[in-house]
Amino acid sequence: METDINSQDRKDLDKFIKFFALKTVQVIVQARLGEKICTRSSSSPTGSDWFNLAIKDIPEVTHEAKKALAGQLPAIGRSMCVEISLKTSEGDSMELEIWCLEMNEKCDKEIKISYTVYNRLSLLLKSLLAITRVTPAYRLSRKQGHEYVILYRIYFGEVQLNGLGEGFQTVRVGTVGTPMGTITLSCAYRINLAFMSTRQFERTPPIMGIIIDHFVDRPYPSSSPMHPCNYRTTGEDTGVTYPSVEDSQEVCTTSFSTSPPSQLSSSRLSYQPAALGVGSADLAYPVVFAAGLNTTHPHQLMVPGKEGGVPLAPNQPAHGAQADQERLATYTPSDGAHCAATPSSEDTETVSNSSEGRASPHDVLETIFARKVGAFVNKPINQVTLTSLDIPFAMFAPKNLELEDADPMGSLHSDGSSGGSSGNTHDDFVMIDFKPAFSKDDILPMDLGTFYREFQNPPQLSSLSIDIGAQSMAEDLDSLPEKLAVHEKNVREFDAFVETLQ
Amino acid sequence: MNCRSEVLEVSVEGRQVEEAMLAVLHTVLLHRSTGKFHYKKEGTYSIGTVGTQDVDCDFIDFTYVRVSSDELDRALRKDALRNSGGDGLGQMSLEFYQKKKSRWPFSDECIPWEVWTVKVHVVALATEQERQICREKVGEKLCEKVINIVEVMNRHEYLPKMPMQSEVDNVFDTGLRDVQPYLYKISFQITDALGTSVTTTMRRLIKDTLAL
């Protein structure tokens, strides 16, 4: 395996792999923050942009990555993995994807380190930028908000794919051959977004009741080392400051030569430690995020209905030698405002009341609705799901906090589903949150959302029902002569009225 | 050396054509652009930095990454707009080429080394529901196309050798201020709904005229 790679090339290669690993983590995590990323091109080399790409460094992420690597590099049998998972406000979580940076035994002895390998690593990072936007987790992460958040975890060692469910798919981002082995970057992502809630048979407070201080309460059990990791600007209360990661901002002055490769002697890297300032000062990532959830795209959490579902074992990942910290990648608009739900034609399809019958007060809390399951869901979903749900509405009706109480909004859950929506198979459900257009996200009872729900399914007009219609018809006929007599008396008034119209 | 050729096909609604083509063009050019070269003494050069930005499509459930260069974006939009609108089949070719200097009186030769062909089939949809489904389907298709593009890019097949300063314009487009893509050109072929291409129709007309 060891080739005649000289020590300087070996040092360069190790450096490249190290910073490539750090940049890979940055690209992946930043792509899951839920916001669009934008960096500027610079015609002059800045000296601090590895691989000639403007990828900002979030210090916390770099810190986590270095902690996971612990001075080692991805090598044969030792992969660096970034796990992306989703965690709901109820505490349920689901792994979405695993990004793996691996090394295999296939060596390319002829390749030039400081030219070809470097450029190919740069190309691979560009590919990673593109691929991180096309996996299913991207769209989920763009819509994270109160109901769920996206977390990341970095570990080093053996790749653990068990948490991705059945039938996960893999995409290879790319490979770069080196004299020490071939670097491979790939992603395994979940296809089946069906979610098994461990609280299936418990009463849980409605999602809409969770509010603003969600991230102040640490939802994670104390046994787990995970904790939310908010990227904060200076001045925040935690006062956690990460060591100035000088080496991650080492100035990379890369010169290339147009000489033929065999005569290459002047292309060496020079490193000058630089103050960190470049990365974090430029970042405008404020604190805890609170992006509102856009209900027009309900690619969201799924929970099973009453017909199926097995409680999932709590998925506390326990992998990797260097594993551990599960971090919440958060981001917030700087003004902290909730994003207004954007109304669109999809709104009419997002909420449907199933005609499967009223839920009795003693039914377990069932799941909620949804019509369409997102583009990346495996099973074709064609029918409406779920049973009705009393709890969220009870939340807004001040008197009815108990399931057993009569539900004043029972008419909402009566049969007569709003036309032909699609539903799920017994274990694929999507839960959505109905946010009516222009409504504020307040907790007052009888807000606009409640109003919509209450009056969305009005009872049928009594005059349209057949029996009553038949009766009234007979009555009408009987009362006709009287009515005619009255109208004849008032003929003059009617005529005067008609004249005013002309 | 043979020119490498890749073909991608997409079916889109009329208003999605521009965005679909820009998504493909930008994804390819992201991989085929470098920072600006700054040549120094002794034949060495340093490379500027390429920034990137996410672009959300308005008519497709899709986000793609492009190089942060407004000049490049404008140039591509101008090209993409030429092919938007109308039903039928359209074909766009993005060709990367090298210039080879020829002696007078011959003009420089353009030797393509990679051609990306995007066949766009435009469909007309009647209802809003169909359009919504189309948004998602086209988004998924474009995700597949991006994966295909990345797969080709990472085969590490032929790329022009890095040029000396005197020859950089034979390999790269050095006219942009902030980035430096490989020399490329974009061409179109539009077929109307009847399946006849405009060029073949013209050719037939001319032939018929000459035959008289």
Side-chain angles (χ1 to χ4, degrees):
Chain A
M1 186 73 51
E2 287 291 329
T3 66
D4 46 358
I5 180 174
N6 64 45
S7 64
Q8 184 59 49
D9 276 349
R10 180 63 195 264
K11 265 196 216 167
D12 288 346
L13 180 62
D14 287 347
K15 202 98 190 172
F16 292 168
I17 294 175
K18 176 187 167 188
F19 284 104
F20 179 76
L22 295 175
K23 288 295 182 181
T24 294
V25 174
Q26 289 287 349
V27 168
I28 293 167
V29 172
Q30 289 177 27
R32 299 290 177 262
L33 286 177
E35 292 289 329
K36 293 202 301 190
I37 303 296
C38 179
T39 56
R40 291 178 57 186
S41 300
S42 167
S43 60
S44 307
T46 60
S48 61
D49 291 321
W50 275 91
F51 308 106
N52 309 116
L53 283 174
I55 298 170
K56 286 182 176 158
D57 288 323
I58 301 177
E60 187 180 76
V61 174
T62 303
H63 177 77
E64 288 304 317
K66 285 186 169 177
K67 213 162 76 171
L69 286 172
Q72 299 176 75
L73 290 176
I76 297 161
R78 291 198 316 257
S79 308
M80 188 190 76
C81 301
V82 182
E83 175 191 296
I84 301 291
S85 54
L86 174 151
K87 190 163 187 115
T88 69
S89 53
E90 291 179 334
D92 298 314
S93 65
M94 174 168 67
E95 279 178 34
L96 297 177
E97 43 187 33
I98 311 270
W99 297 83
C100 305
L101 180 61
E102 302 169 292
M103 179 90 98
N104 69 26
E105 295 165 351
K106 192 174 166 194
C107 301
D108 184 343
K109 299 177 187 178
E110 305 298 324
I111 202 167
K112 295 298 163 192
I113 305 290
S114 55
Y115 170 74
T116 310
V117 171
Y118 190 84
N119 287 335
R120 287 185 181 178
L121 289 173
S122 175
L123 192 74
L124 187 51
L125 272 178
K126 291 175 182 172
S127 299
L128 182 64
L129 281 162
I131 295 285
T132 44
R133 274 65 174 172
V134 305
T135 54
Y138 180 73
R139 300 217 75 81
L140 284 173
S141 68
R142 288 292 297 271
K143 297 172 180 71
Q144 59 185 308
H146 289 297
E147 295 195 8
Y148 67 88
V149 292
I150 302 294
L151 310 177
Y152 73 93
R153 186 172 75 93
I154 307 168
Y155 64 90
F156 193 74
E158 234 179 270
V159 183
Q160 307 276 346
L161 298 176
N162 302 330
L164 292 177
E166 287 178 9
F168 63 85
Q169 286 198 357
T170 55
V171 59
R172 178 191 276 195
V173 183
T175 60
V176 175
T178 77
M180 305 307 299
T182 297
I183 297 168
T184 306
L185 185 54
S186 58
C187 173
Y189 58 92
R190 171 184 283 271
I191 287 291
N192 183 7
L193 293 177
F195 183 82
M196 301 298 189
S197 169
T198 54
R199 304 188 192 188
Q200 184 182 358
F201 300 105
E202 295 170 22
R203 280 185 203 179
T204 56
I207 296 295
M208 290 173 71
I210 303 295
I211 348 145
I212 312 155
D213 54 356
H214 173 70
F215 296 105
V216 174
D217 298 327
R218 306 286 177 168
Y220 306 88
S222 57
S223 58
S224 162
M226 307 182 295
H227 56 270
C229 177
N230 302 325
Y231 178 68
R232 297 171 188 267
T233 53
T234 54
E236 287 299 332
D237 53 351
T238 58
V240 174
T241 53
Y242 293 98
S244 154
V245 282
E246 285 106 358
D247 55 344
S248 81
Q249 288 295 329
E250 281 181 25
V251 171
C252 164
T253 317
T254 315
S255 291
F256 296 97
S257 169
T258 52
S259 312
S262 57
Q263 297 169 19
L264 207 63
S265 60
S266 58
S267 305
R268 290 293 175 222
L269 298 176
S270 60
Y271 307 110
Q272 303 163 21
L276 176 58
V278 176
S280 56
D282 288 347
L283 286 170
Y285 293 90
V287 191
V288 185
F289 83 105
L293 192 54
N294 187 344
T295 58
T296 60
H297 296 282
H299 299 291
Q300 293 159 20
L301 178 64
M302 301 190 190
V303 289
K306 60 181 168 184
E307 291 176 15
V310 175
L312 185 70
N315 51 346
Q316 298 299 335
H319 349 288
Q322 315 272 342
D324 301 314
Q325 305 286 337
E326 185 144 2
R327 300 285 177 219
L328 170 64
T330 62
Y331 182 72
T332 184
S334 55
D335 60 359
H338 295 299
C339 299
T342 317
S344 79
S345 60
E346 298 165 75
D347 272 339
T348 58
E349 296 164 337
T350 54
V351 177
S352 65
N353 286 325
S354 168
S355 57
E356 290 172 22
R358 300 176 66 119
S360 79
H362 299 284
D363 276 355
V364 299
L365 177 65
E366 305 291 0
T367 53
I368 319 187
F369 317 35
R371 165 207 66 111
K372 63 178 183 171
V373 178
F376 300 100
V377 173
N378 209 10
K379 300 183 184 179
I381 297 201
N382 289 319
Q383 349 136 9
V384 158
T385 324
L386 326 186
T387 58
S388 57
L389 182 62
D390 291 338
I391 300 294
F393 312 118
M395 186 69 179
F396 294 100
K399 294 176 192 173
N400 298 307
L401 298 176
E402 302 291 323
L403 277 179
E404 286 78 9
D405 290 347
D407 184 358
M409 303 187 205
S411 62
L412 272 178
H413 312 295
S414 62
D415 41 3
S417 64
S418 56
S421 318
S422 50
N424 295 340
T425 56
H426 65 280
D427 58 352
D428 290 343
F429 296 117
V430 175
M431 179 176 73
I432 56 152
D433 175 26
F434 176 57
K435 281 195 182 174
F438 312 112
S439 76
K440 281 192 188 167
D441 192 27
D442 55 22
I443 317 167
L444 296 173
M446 287 307 284
D447 70 345
L448 190 58
T450 317
F451 174 81
Y452 275 169
R453 278 183 218 96
E454 190 177 357
F455 295 103
Q456 213 167 16
N457 286 322
Q460 200 178 30
L461 290 176
S462 58
S463 59
L464 292 180
S465 68
I466 297 171
D467 295 339
I468 298 174
Q471 285 173 13
S472 64
M473 181 82 148
E475 287 168 5
D476 285 343
L477 285 172
D478 290 339
S479 64
L480 262 180
E482 294 166 17
K483 286 184 183 170
L484 281 173
V486 168
H487 292 325
E488 278 179 21
K489 270 194 211 172
N490 299 329
V491 155
R492 283 185 191 174
E493 284 178 34
F494 289 133
D495 289 342
F497 174 68
V498 167
E499 278 174 18
T500 61
L501 293 175
Q502 288 174 359
Chain B
M1 181 268 302
N2 289 326
C3 172
R4 191 164 58 237
S5 176
E6 305 294 335
V7 179
L8 305 166
E9 289 193 44
V10 283
S11 288
V12 296
E13 198 199 358
R15 61 185 183 169
Q16 296 172 323
V17 173
E18 187 189 343
E19 285 181 336
M21 289 208 294
L22 281 172
V24 171
L25 287 173
H26 273 300
T27 302
V28 172
L29 277 161
L30 170 69
H31 292 82
R32 292 287 181 248
S33 300
T34 73
K36 297 284 287 183
F37 282 13
H38 297 272
Y39 286 92
K40 302 178 219 176
K41 294 180 237 181
E42 298 166 2
T44 60
Y45 61 96
S46 58
I47 308 179
T49 300
V50 173
T52 58
Q53 62 185 82
D54 291 335
V55 180
D56 288 338
C57 295
D58 292 326
F59 301 112
I60 311 173
D61 286 348
F62 184 68
T63 300
Y64 61 91
V65 180
R66 71 167 175 92
V67 165
S68 288
S69 167
D70 290 339
E71 277 182 85
L72 182 62
D73 187 44
R74 274 196 295 273
L76 293 180
R77 280 180 190 273
K78 213 165 57 172
D79 286 328
L81 271 176
R82 277 202 270 144
N83 198 31
S84 46
D87 290 343
L89 187 64
Q91 186 170 296
M92 174 188 70
S93 291
L94 168 63
E95 179 185 298
F96 292 100
Y97 64 95
Q98 273 179 270
K99 273 194 218 165
K100 190 175 171 191
K101 295 272 185 218
S102 299
R103 292 187 184 171
W104 185 87
F106 302 105
S107 56
D108 292 342
E109 206 179 334
C110 294
I111 305 170
W113 52 270
E114 186 175 78
V115 177
W116 294 85
T117 304
V118 186
K119 292 185 178 171
V120 180
H121 180 61
V122 183
V123 297
L125 298 174
T127 68
E128 197 55 41
Q129 192 172 8
E130 284 176 3
R131 283 195 193 98
Q132 180 54 37
I133 293 168
C134 189
R135 272 184 79 101
E136 292 171 14
K137 292 287 179 203
V138 171
E140 289 171 35
K141 275 292 165 193
L142 287 177
C143 290
E144 286 173 27
K145 299 309 160 196
V146 167
I147 293 172
N148 293 344
I149 292 169
V150 161
E151 192 189 351
V152 170
M153 295 298 182
N154 280 274
R155 284 184 206 153
H156 303 304
E157 291 169 338
Y158 173 80
L159 279 179
K161 210 172 75 169
M162 286 298 141
M164 312 269 290
Q165 188 171 9
S166 54
E167 292 174 358
V168 68
D169 289 318
N170 294 343
V171 175
F172 288 101
D173 178 355
T174 53
L176 301 175
R177 269 197 315 255
D178 40 15
V179 295
Q180 191 172 285
Y182 282 99
L183 280 172
Y184 72 92
K185 56 183 164 197
I186 298 178
S187 54
F188 291 95
Q189 186 181 22
I190 299 174
T191 313
D192 62 24
L194 294 175
T196 52
S197 102
V198 172
T199 51
T200 53
T201 310
M202 288 305 300
R203 211 174 284 144
R204 203 181 310 130
L205 272 174
I206 291 168
K207 270 191 190 163
D208 291 344
T209 312
L210 290 173
L212 286 173

